[in-house]
Amino acid sequence: MEKIYWRLTVMHNKTMPLLCAFIVLGFMVGTARSSKAEIYTEIPEAVDHSRKYLFYMHGAWIERKGLNEAHPRYGLYKYDKIVQSFSNKGFVVISEARLRRVRIGRYAKKVARQVRRLLDQGVPRNKITVIGHSKGGLMALTVASILGEREINFVVMAGCGKKGTRFRRSYEKFLQRHAQRLRGRILSIYEADDRSAGSCQEAFNLAPDIESKEVVFNTGRGHGLFYSPERIWISEVIKWAGI
């Protein structure tokens, strides 16, 4: 948050201490209001049609090991900092830490229902963005195939499995069963040195009615690039969401 410095010229009268107190109190209240994190696990009761909403789904590491165990190659998965960073950018964030294994299709249906609740309450489609990393990225693609909405934004971060990996099997199931139903504005981003995930072009080629883009990073950090809220990929999400 930008720091604001106040400079007061002291006046020697009885009302000045009271005036200063009101100024400081007002500044503190304004700061608290502007820095309030809007992060929810479900759709908030009060839906503001003027706001942008972002759904974030993390990778499988947290399902297997929780929030506090570091990956031996990529380090700690900084889930809290990632969702906070999007809240700081002005999004209303809907996300949860999945602390047990879930099926991709079943969880994607849950998120699709949440998105439809926003649509039913009048939130414009172009103010909704669904993103995910790794397993969460494949979930985001699955949500896009379920919803069939052309104007909703989707971002897949290292969510399309490379051939010869275990992750590939889940991606091939998606290609066979769901890719033809893809709709939406879909951005794929991944790191060139990623050992598990790569291009989503196979899925895009099967989808007749999408707007797609793919960005490849060369940081040398592989799959772990998305374990923390790095500016290089956060900025791509923000641009795609129209902020």
Side-chain angles (χ1 to χ4, degrees):
M1 184 182 68
E2 182 182 359
K3 295 181 179 179
I4 300 176
Y5 297 91
W6 291 84
R7 181 178 179 180
L8 296 175
T9 301
V10 178
M11 298 174 60
H12 297 284
N13 60 51
K14 296 180 180 180
T15 62
M16 193 59 195
L18 183 59
L19 177 60
C20 288
F22 278 118
I23 291 174
V24 172
L25 179 60
F27 175 66
M28 292 174 63
V29 170
T31 301
R33 185 180 296 124
S34 62
S35 62
K36 177 185 177 183
E38 293 199 65
I39 302 168
Y40 305 89
T41 57
E42 293 288 345
I43 302 301
E45 291 184 8
V47 172
D48 185 345
H49 298 169
S50 68
R51 301 293 302 279
K52 285 185 176 285
Y53 291 80
L54 182 139
F55 294 80
Y56 171 76
M57 292 168 283
H58 59 72
W61 179 257
I62 292 176
E63 289 185 5
R64 298 197 299 265
K65 300 294 183 177
L67 292 167
N68 299 315
E69 184 170 335
H71 190 282
R73 183 180 298 121
Y74 307 130
L76 190 66
Y77 204 126
K78 299 176 182 178
Y79 168 80
D80 290 334
K81 290 186 177 180
I82 291 171
V83 293
Q84 182 66 59
S85 69
F86 284 116
S87 177
N88 291 345
K89 296 296 183 181
F91 290 100
V92 177
V93 179
I94 298 96
S95 180
E96 67 172 325
R98 308 184 310 273
L99 300 180
R100 59 182 178 82
R101 296 191 183 190
V102 300
R103 293 182 180 180
I104 291 173
R106 182 175 297 176
Y107 197 84
K109 289 178 181 177
K110 172 184 176 178
V111 174
R113 287 194 297 269
Q114 291 176 318
V115 173
R116 286 195 176 112
R117 283 179 58 195
L118 287 181
L119 295 175
D120 290 344
Q121 295 187 57
V123 176
R125 287 161 173 77
N126 62 1
K127 291 189 175 183
I128 299 173
T129 301
V130 180
I131 75 172
H133 167 233
S134 193
K135 181 178 181 178
L138 192 50
M139 288 176 175
L141 278 178
T142 306
V143 173
S145 71
I146 294 170
L147 288 172
E149 294 284 350
R150 293 179 176 85
E151 297 177 45
I152 292 178
N153 309 305
F154 298 89
V155 183
V156 182
M157 292 109 65
C160 298
K162 282 185 173 179
K163 292 181 179 180
T165 66
R166 288 189 300 174
F167 192 23
R168 177 70 185 186
R169 287 178 290 182
S170 297
Y171 182 47
E172 285 183 345
K173 287 182 181 179
F174 174 81
L175 292 174
Q176 295 167 6
R177 301 176 184 178
H178 307 295
Q180 291 184 349
R181 296 198 300 272
L182 276 176
R183 299 292 185 276
R185 300 181 67 252
I186 307 177
L187 170 65
S188 164
I189 55 179
Y190 66 96
E191 218 284 335
D193 289 339
D194 196 317
R195 300 181 182 183
S196 302
S199 175
C200 293
Q201 197 59 50
E202 287 174 282
F204 295 165
N205 290 342
L206 293 171
D209 191 17
I210 63 169
E211 177 186 346
S212 65
K213 179 181 176 182
E214 192 154 76
V215 176
V216 184
F217 302 119
N218 288 280
T219 67
R221 294 181 59 185
H223 207 64
L225 173 64
F226 303 97
Y227 271 49
S228 60
E230 304 297 336
R231 181 180 298 178
I232 191 172
W233 68 265
I234 292 285
S235 64
E236 292 292 336
V237 174
I238 291 169
K239 286 190 293 184
W240 195 250
I243 284 188

